């Protein structure tokens, strides 16, 4: 008897990924709350959405913070990887997560405030065309676009994943999760709708180009190493016979995408326009949190994936750091708008941060992490202060409108002066300690010429900070000048948080420096 016998084979067993839920619980809480927030928009009555979204967002961030504290208290010093080693929960990632959660809390408070701008900083009906009668009418109403709250939670969770991603594909997905909500939120300003929507379009278009660079670099590196995991790329770079052309072409394209997100010059073209046009609470959120996440990703990529090839690419990043410092310091001198001035300040600070990031030593990592902590809180409070100076058209951000501000509001002028001095790196502020530890790491790594250039750029940048201080204290206010709005509870809490952290880290920075210096990247 003949026949065809088919031998049944047992199906291959696929092991489920080992997931350490306590380690990633903060991210899961934020993502879950963001999804619930979307349902709130669909099912809650319009008049109840603001209260529901604010309560949900604050509870989610606080709950994620509690889960974070519980895990940090019990976590091993060395760190771990989870989800098929796509997420690394190590000490640098935990430091960045704690920073992002606290900054996210402050930013959410700024976003939720409805007293500085009646009804909040966000337009009630985003579909109304700017400049029309309906647009002017709704600017005077008390409605608010509450979709910003789940978008904020999605962006914040994407930032946390981004700085803990252990492979490039996960990092790219996190990059899109954090970027897409920001593109939308930039165009929702209640006032100055045209410039706000222009900022959103510019950010989206340039962000799409940067994402394409990142993805193309990822593809080249996969072709080189046969893997998107950072450790596998590092192993291939250390002993592969493949052409180094793929390696360094992929690295260059990848770094362009990362530097764009960190607003490092000369990849900064979006920063001044977007900072100026976006609603100021969103500008504060971007300036503080996105910078932390972007440099967290840069540190992980350079340290874990490309440390062995540092001699080949460090010269290029030297040039990038110098360009960023010079662009930020010099062009900041020419600005007449406070928000654009702070944008160029951000570009200069990105150059300073890059000094620590390319040091490739423990002191450089800890110094950069500490600098991110200090810069984030100072910037958050500074933009919160900017939102309080207003005239009949909304925020008064032209420098001429800030003349004599100390006579109108001595408290706000004193707070903003302290924050500007911190950005300039004056002693007894967190900015001085941050620059000191980053520049010290650079000198220890043999980058003394770069540190000298950074010190010169810091001195130049200090001029436009001092110019604002002189304008506030030594000029007469115009009779029809702007007024200072009494901040609501949320805005007061956010500004107070930023000022207190800036002061405490300037006086007693040891505990934060110790935490930033414990542990290394897991892979």
């Amino acid at each position: 008897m003949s026949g065809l016998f088919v031998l049944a084979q047992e199906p291959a067993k696929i092991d489920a990924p080992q997931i350490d839920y306590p380690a990633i619980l903060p991210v899961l809480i934020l993502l879950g709350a963001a999804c619930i927030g979307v349902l709130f928009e669909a099912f809650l009555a319009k008049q109840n959405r603001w209260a529901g979204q604010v309560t949900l967002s604050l509870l989610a961030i606080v709950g994620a913070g509690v889960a974070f504290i519980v895990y940090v208290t019990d976590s091993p010093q060395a760190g771990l990887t989870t989800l098929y080693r796509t997420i690394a929960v190590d000490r640098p990632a935990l430091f960045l997560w704690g920073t992002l959660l606290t900054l996210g809390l402050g930013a959410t408070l700024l976003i939720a405030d409805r007293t500085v701008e009646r009804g909040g900083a966000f337009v009630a009906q985003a579909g109304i065309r700017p400049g029309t009668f309906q647009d002017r009418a709704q600017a005077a109403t008390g409605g608010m676009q509450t979709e910003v709250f789940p978008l904020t939670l999605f962006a914040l969770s994407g930032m946390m994943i981004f700085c803990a991603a252990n492979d490039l594909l996960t990092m790219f997905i996190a990059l899109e999760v954090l970027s897409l909500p920001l593109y939308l939120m930039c165009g929702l300003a209640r006032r100055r709708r045209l410039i706000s929507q222009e900022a959103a379009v510019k950010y989206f278009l340039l962000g799409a180009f940067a994402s394409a660079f990142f993805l193309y670099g990822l593809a080249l590196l996969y072709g080189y190493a046969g893997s998107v995991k950072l450790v596998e790329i590092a192993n291939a770079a250390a002993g592969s016979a493949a052409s180094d052309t793929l390696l360094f072409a992929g690295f260059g394209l990848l770094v362009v995408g990362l530097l764009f997100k960190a607003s490092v010059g000369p990849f900064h073209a979006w920063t001044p326009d977007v900072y100026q046009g976006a609603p100021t609470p969103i500008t504060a959120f971007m300036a503080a949190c996105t910078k932390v996440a972007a440099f967290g990703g840069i540190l992980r990529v350079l340290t874990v994936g490309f440390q062995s090839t540092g001699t080949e690419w460090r010269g290029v990043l030297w040039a990038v750091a110098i360009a960023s410092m010079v662009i930020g310091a010099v062009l900041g001198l020419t600005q007449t708008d406070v928000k654009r001035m702070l944008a160029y300040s951000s570009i200069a600070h990105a150059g300073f941060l890059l000094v620590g990031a390319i040091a490739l030593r423990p002191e450089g990592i800890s110094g950069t992490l500490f600098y991110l902590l200090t810069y984030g809180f100072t910037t958050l409070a500074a933009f919160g202060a900017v939102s309080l100076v207003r005239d009949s058209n909304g925020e008064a951000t032209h420098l001429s409108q800030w003349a004599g501000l100390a006579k109108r509001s001595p408290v706000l002028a004193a707070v903003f002066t302290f924050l500007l001095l911190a950005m300039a790196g004056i002693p007894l502020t967190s900015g001085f300690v941050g620059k000191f530890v980053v520049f010290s790491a650079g000198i220890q790594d043999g980058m003394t010429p770069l540190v000298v250039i950074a010190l010169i750029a810091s001195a130049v940048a200090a001029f436009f900070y001092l110019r604002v201080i002189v304008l506030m204290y030594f000029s007469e206010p115009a009779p029809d000048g702007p007024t200072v709005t009494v901040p609501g509870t949320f805005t007061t809490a956010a500004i107070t948080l930023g000022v207190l952290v800036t002061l405490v880290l300037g006086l007693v920075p040891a505990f934060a420096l110790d935490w930033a210096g414990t542990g290394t990247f897991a892979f």
Side-chain angles (χ1 to χ4, degrees):
M1 183 178 64
S2 62
L4 180 63
F5 296 94
V6 179
L7 297 178
Q9 296 181 350
E10 292 185 6
K13 293 183 179 179
I14 300 176
D15 294 330
Q18 297 295 320
I19 303 175
D20 191 322
Y21 285 104
I24 60 173
L25 186 57
V27 179
L28 296 178
I29 290 174
L30 293 181
L31 286 173
C35 294
I36 295 172
V38 173
L39 296 177
F40 276 12
E41 289 298 312
F43 295 107
L44 279 183
K46 189 173 183 179
Q47 64 270 20
N48 298 329
R49 289 177 191 167
W50 180 85
Q53 294 284 21
V54 171
T55 303
L56 174 65
S57 299
L58 294 179
L59 286 177
I61 295 175
V62 172
V66 171
F68 168 79
I69 292 172
V70 170
Y71 179 76
V72 168
T73 304
D74 301 331
S75 65
Q77 188 75 10
L80 57 87
T81 58
T82 186
L83 286 170
Y84 275 133
R85 297 169 60 198
T86 59
I87 301 292
V89 186
D90 46 32
R91 285 293 165 171
L94 291 172
F95 185 93
L96 293 167
W97 282 10
T99 303
L100 284 170
L101 286 171
T102 313
L103 289 173
L105 177 64
T108 302
L109 292 173
L110 288 179
I111 291 169
D113 194 286
R114 296 192 299 179
T115 56
V116 174
E117 172 74 53
R118 184 171 179 267
F122 303 95
V123 67
Q125 299 178 47
I128 292 180
R129 204 169 66 183
T132 61
F133 171 77
Q134 293 91 339
D135 182 38
R136 291 190 296 272
Q138 74 161 345
T141 66
M144 182 178 181
Q145 194 79 5
T146 52
E147 289 94 334
V148 296
F149 295 103
L151 290 175
T152 300
L153 293 178
F154 275 123
L156 186 59
S157 59
M159 293 171 188
M160 294 178 67
I161 298 171
F162 186 80
C163 60
N166 202 34
D167 70 65
L168 296 179
L169 190 57
T170 303
M171 188 172 282
F172 175 74
I173 294 171
L175 177 65
E176 297 306 300
V177 172
L178 76 90
S179 298
L180 292 175
L182 292 176
Y183 299 153
L184 292 172
M185 292 190 289
C186 284
L188 294 179
R190 180 181 291 270
R191 307 269 187 163
R192 301 177 182 177
R193 296 286 310 289
L194 283 175
I195 190 174
S196 174
Q197 294 184 356
E198 178 187 352
V201 171
K202 287 180 178 178
Y203 193 18
F204 170 71
L205 292 177
L206 292 175
F209 277 114
S211 295
F213 275 103
F214 187 100
L215 196 57
Y216 194 12
L218 184 158
L220 293 180
L221 290 170
Y222 179 77
Y224 173 81
S227 174
V228 294
K229 293 188 182 298
L230 292 174
V231 65
E232 298 296 336
I233 295 172
N235 292 337
S240 174
S243 171
D244 285 345
T245 303
L246 279 179
L247 173 66
F248 292 113
F251 173 77
L253 293 170
L254 184 76
V255 167
V256 167
L258 291 171
L259 295 179
F260 170 89
K261 189 52 63 178
S263 65
V264 179
F267 310 100
H268 69 285
W270 63 277
T271 310
D273 291 337
V274 174
Y275 276 33
Q276 182 185 19
T280 300
I282 301 305
T283 305
F285 181 51
M286 287 191 299
C289 296
T290 307
K291 185 83 73 179
V292 172
F295 268 97
I298 290 173
L299 279 173
R300 187 174 297 277
V301 167
L302 296 183
T303 304
V304 178
F306 297 93
Q307 186 166 10
S308 63
T309 58
T311 54
E312 283 82 3
W313 52 256
R314 282 184 67 179
V316 176
L317 290 188
W318 267 51
V320 171
I322 293 170
S324 188
M325 291 184 284
V326 171
I327 290 170
V330 174
L331 294 186
L333 296 173
T334 67
Q335 302 306 308
T336 58
D337 185 274
V338 176
K339 290 173 75 173
R340 291 183 71 89
M341 182 199 76
L342 292 176
Y344 280 102
S345 167
S346 168
I347 296 164
H349 281 282
F352 304 147
L353 282 160
L354 204 55
V355 174
I358 63 180
L360 296 181
R361 55 188 300 126
E363 296 84 359
I365 296 172
S366 62
T368 305
L369 293 176
F370 181 82
Y371 199 128
L372 290 169
L373 175 67
T374 62
Y375 175 80
F377 284 99
T378 303
T379 302
L380 182 75
F383 280 107
V386 168
S387 69
L388 301 179
V389 183
R390 313 181 70 83
D391 57 18
S392 59
N393 296 319
E395 293 171 354
T397 57
H398 197 278
L399 280 178
S400 62
Q401 296 174 297
W402 286 58
L405 186 68
K407 296 180 175 62
R408 295 182 182 274
S409 178
V411 175
L412 180 66
V415 167
F416 199 62
T417 297
F418 174 70
L419 297 171
L420 291 177
L421 292 176
M423 291 183 185
I426 302 301
L428 301 183
T429 66
S430 62
F432 170 77
V433 183
K435 286 183 178 179
F436 179 82
V437 294
V438 164
F439 295 165
S440 297
I443 292 174
Q444 293 175 33
D445 202 53
M447 297 190 293
T448 302
L450 184 59
V451 172
V452 171
I453 295 172
L455 290 172
I456 296 172
S458 296
V460 174
F463 175 80
F464 58 76
Y465 300 131
L466 296 175
R467 179 181 62 176
V468 178
I469 297 172
V470 170
L471 192 66
M472 290 191 297
Y473 281 94
F474 299 101
S475 299
E476 290 298 322
D480 57 346
T483 59
V484 176
T485 303
V486 177
T489 303
F490 288 164
T491 297
T492 301
I495 295 174
T496 303
L497 174 66
V499 171
L500 286 178
V501 173
T502 301
L503 178 62
V504 170
L505 293 181
L507 298 176
V508 283
F511 71 98
L513 285 170
D514 291 342
W515 188 25
T518 58
T520 57
F521 289 106
F523 47 85

